[in-house]
Amino acid sequence: MSRVDEPTGLVRDTTSTAAPGLFGRAPRDLSRVALVHEDRDITFGEVAALSKDVSGVVRGHHLKRRVVGVPAERSPEFVARIMGIWSAGAVPAILGDWGPERVRAALAATGAVAAFGPSSALAGLELLDPDGNDDVPSPARLPGEDLGEVSHILFTSGTTGKPKGIVVGRAAFEAAGVAFFTELPMDECDRVAFLSRPGHDPSLRELIAPWLTGATLFIPDSRTAADPRLMAAWLSKHSITVLQGSPVLLQLMAGSGLPVHSLRLVCSVGARLTAAALRSTARLAPQATVVNCYGASETPQVLCMHRIPPGTGAASRDPIPIGRALGHAAVRIVPTDASEGESQEGRLHVEASACALGYTDGTPLLAPGHGGRRWYDTGDIVRRLPDGSMCFVRRADRQVQVNGTRVELDEIEGVAARVDGVLDSAATFVEDGNGVGSVRLTVVRSPTSAVDADAVRAVLHGCLDPAVVPSSIEVRDSLPENDGGEPADEAPTLREVLHQSARSVLGQGRIDPDGGFFEAGFTSMSLMRFVSEVSVRLGTEISPVLVFQYPSLNAFADYLQKNLDNSA
């Protein structure tokens, strides 16, 4: 167990006399550039003015200490909305890029009284209760004695098939933010990329970096953010020095073949960092320190980190350590067997002061321990290494990470059960050697039902985060038996595997076999799911770099046909 005194101040010298901002502070010089979006410089003063407009709308509707939904976006307006809601004393519930049913379920889970619309109408706020606020569920339903203690609400997977809100306290969020930037100092010379998926924990670190460190935040346009080939060029163009990204995204950007020499710090976040992903990252950022960051929305933010100095990543082997706990957190390893005391391997627990306040559905977050202290069980099995650091071993339950997005397989099965004509379902998780994971779903239809994979996928898209919609959906008359069960169908050809996998991942019909992957609608995340699905179906590891070298279905198939022994 490790713990040191928590830092008491922010990383840079700031003043509390400026316009309302994060934690009530802002830099002295409001004329300095805080954000750059599509080559447009936006100063701290301009962000403060935008935030003031948002705050005025929130205050005008008397929403102090109430929950307000905010669609997560990579935009200056999203930053201003978060700052403005905080300034008004309200609580932002950060909504992902979801279907309407999941958005409604998320807002209902928090008792939100209002929600913002698209950022094109910056101050546009819709009240969710047409009869006023009196009939809205009391905020006392949320963890904590007072919503003044709450920073924000994020959403994770629930076993019931509905989104589960994580209520993050201001004290824990600030302590985690200060600890992160103390361990990885930044200053006014740094240029931070806003590439993390909006609304996830890493994106909040990027969002607050200018206010805590004086760095400038660079926000890409939507086209660049969707295409890792463009991302790598964009990083070089703007001389980005600090980057956060999932192992999947880092591998895809490395596949462009364009090293970014300005990068001095790269944080791998959101999923397990494999040696293969680390080698790719070292090629992308040859002069950067790579940091393997470990944490969860419940902790919140980064809990542990492990540094890999420049020039050493290429020689790394699995497993890559997750390092030690940062100074704001106390952790312990609880043995999984009946032995007494801490062992070298067990479940990782985090002490309450470094954790979120709780869940919106009332599920207990903390459990009591010895001496009256309370702990959060991460569900991760970790091993203590000889140097005192830790490495991740496996999950202890059915919770999985799909390219940086956490989901319980029970939730996917629960949503599939809502489809008319579905009797049963089984979701499984597969991961290739590059650490790219995907979910495969098998559903059983009733004898009188004509339900097909497209009908199942349509329901899943409305209820799940798009990142965790299964890359493969199979409809059967019964679940497969372990002993072989039904006779196997004739094996599809290589080209059929590629076309089936592409259609399944994209959720659409015919795909032009000679058209480019990105022109067909793939994003960096869906392309990695496609490569992972093909790897699993062919039973061999396929490098994600190949989709850049052979960027269409036919070109990719021609390469695999010539180079894979089992490609017949």
Side-chain angles (χ1 to χ4, degrees):
M1 185 183 302
S2 62
R3 189 185 184 107
V4 299
D5 291 338
E6 296 179 7
T8 57
L10 301 181
V11 178
R12 294 182 66 252
D13 184 21
T14 58
T15 175
S16 59
T17 61
L22 179 72
F23 311 138
R25 304 188 182 209
R28 286 195 177 98
D29 186 359
L30 295 181
S31 67
R32 285 193 58 250
V33 175
L35 315 174
V36 177
H37 181 233
E38 298 181 353
D39 297 324
R40 179 169 64 99
D41 292 350
I42 303 171
T43 67
F44 283 99
E46 289 171 323
V47 176
L50 291 173
S51 302
K52 185 177 180 180
D53 291 342
V54 173
S55 178
V57 171
V58 174
R59 293 179 192 274
H61 287 292
H62 308 290
L63 300 181
K64 185 177 182 179
R65 297 186 179 177
R66 308 309 294 267
V67 178
V68 178
V70 186
E73 301 173 324
R74 290 188 188 90
S75 70
E77 291 78 14
F78 175 61
V79 177
R81 282 175 166 178
I82 295 297
M83 299 294 185
I85 292 171
W86 277 337
S87 175
V91 177
I94 303 177
L95 310 171
D97 182 18
W98 308 323
E101 183 172 343
R102 187 171 183 85
V103 169
R104 286 193 294 269
L107 292 171
T110 66
V113 297
F116 282 100
S119 62
S120 56
L122 174 64
L125 187 69
E126 177 187 358
L127 293 179
L128 300 180
D129 178 17
D131 299 321
N133 296 338
D134 292 342
D135 295 331
V136 174
S138 166
R141 63 183 289 185
L142 299 180
E145 296 180 0
D146 189 333
L147 278 192
E149 302 173 4
V150 179
S151 168
H152 57 277
I153 300 174
L154 297 176
F155 294 89
T156 186
S157 175
T159 58
T160 63
K162 298 180 180 179
K164 182 167 63 173
I166 300 171
V167 183
V168 179
R170 294 179 72 86
F173 180 56
E174 181 168 1
V178 170
F180 179 87
F181 289 109
T182 298
E183 291 290 330
L184 302 176
M186 301 175 197
D187 58 32
E188 295 179 1
C189 295
D190 277 308
R191 302 158 77 87
V192 180
F194 192 177
L195 288 186
S196 297
R197 193 175 180 204
H200 285 206
D201 279 318
S203 72
L204 294 178
R205 289 193 294 277
E206 293 163 353
L207 184 154
I208 66 177
W211 281 264
L212 290 185
T213 72
T216 304
L217 182 64
F218 284 73
I219 307 175
D221 60 66
S222 57
R223 181 168 175 264
T224 298
D227 188 337
R229 298 171 300 178
L230 300 178
M231 283 187 200
W234 179 84
L235 294 172
S236 292
K237 173 185 175 181
H238 293 287
S239 300
I240 299 298
T241 63
V242 179
L243 168 67
Q244 293 188 122
S246 69
V248 168
L249 179 60
L250 296 174
Q251 289 180 84
L252 279 172
M253 287 193 292
S256 69
L258 177 65
V260 183
H261 295 285
S262 60
L263 285 168
R264 70 168 188 85
L265 180 65
V266 176
C267 295
S268 174
V269 298
R272 180 175 65 91
L273 178 64
T274 64
L278 178 54
R279 289 192 291 270
S280 294
T281 304
R283 291 195 301 271
L284 173 70
Q287 299 179 43
T289 295
V290 180
V291 184
N292 187 22
C293 295
Y294 168 88
S297 298
E298 287 91 346
T299 52
Q301 298 290 311
V302 172
L303 179 69
C304 304
M305 62 173 59
H306 170 71
R307 295 176 178 80
I308 301 98
T312 62
S316 298
R317 296 184 178 182
D318 288 320
I320 306 299
I322 60 173
R324 295 178 172 84
L326 301 187
H328 71 296
V331 303
R332 66 180 184 181
I333 297 176
V334 178
T336 54
D337 53 31
S339 60
E340 295 293 332
E342 293 193 357
S343 71
Q344 298 303 305
E345 182 171 310
R347 299 172 76 111
L348 181 62
H349 286 197
V350 185
E351 201 269 334
S353 63
C355 295
L357 298 175
Y359 297 110
T360 55
D361 67 356
T363 303
L365 175 69
L366 302 173
H370 296 295
R373 302 176 76 180
R374 305 183 73 198
W375 300 83
Y376 165 61
D377 180 358
T378 65
D380 288 336
I381 305 298
V382 301
R383 179 183 304 118
R384 194 181 302 278
L385 301 175
D387 65 358
S389 64
M390 297 175 289
C391 69
F392 173 81
V393 178
R394 65 184 182 278
R395 285 292 301 178
D397 55 20
R398 300 188 75 212
Q399 184 186 105
V400 299
Q401 287 272 5
V402 184
N403 300 337
T405 301
R406 195 173 79 186
V407 67
E408 305 228 12
L409 295 177
D410 290 347
E411 177 179 6
I412 296 174
E413 293 171 352
V415 172
R418 303 182 194 176
V419 181
D420 289 340
V422 170
L423 296 179
D424 198 1
S425 64
T428 57
F429 178 72
V430 294
E431 190 175 53
D432 64 20
N434 297 304
V436 180
S438 62
V439 176
R440 313 188 83 190
L441 178 67
T442 301
V443 299
V444 178
R445 62 187 167 203
S446 68
T448 58
S449 173
V451 66
D452 59 13
D454 289 339
V456 175
R457 184 175 288 106
V459 174
L460 295 180
H461 271 289
C463 301
L464 297 174
D465 188 310
V468 302
V469 173
S471 57
S472 171
I473 299 176
E474 180 184 12
V475 179
R476 303 172 60 100
D477 295 322
S478 64
L479 287 177
E481 300 290 341
N482 292 333
D483 60 0
E486 302 175 6
D489 296 329
E490 182 177 350
T493 66
L494 170 64
R495 291 179 188 274
E496 288 173 340
V497 167
L498 296 184
H499 279 266
Q500 291 168 4
S501 299
R503 288 195 299 268
S504 180
V505 169
L506 289 180
Q508 64 186 52
R510 186 182 182 279
I511 297 171
D512 182 0
D514 293 311
F517 285 125
F518 289 98
E519 288 72 21
F522 279 100
T523 64
S524 57
M525 295 298 101
S526 60
L527 196 58
M528 289 299 286
R529 293 169 64 196
F530 165 69
V531 174
S532 175
E533 178 66 18
V534 172
S535 296
V536 170
R537 294 190 64 176
L538 296 181
T540 188
E541 298 299 338
I542 299 174
S543 170
V545 175
L546 292 174
V547 296
F548 292 97
Q549 300 172 348
Y550 308 95
S552 71
L553 283 174
N554 274 347
F556 196 38
D558 289 342
Y559 171 82
L560 296 179
Q561 195 79 50
K562 294 176 182 178
N563 291 275
L564 296 183
D565 293 336
N566 60 345
S567 62

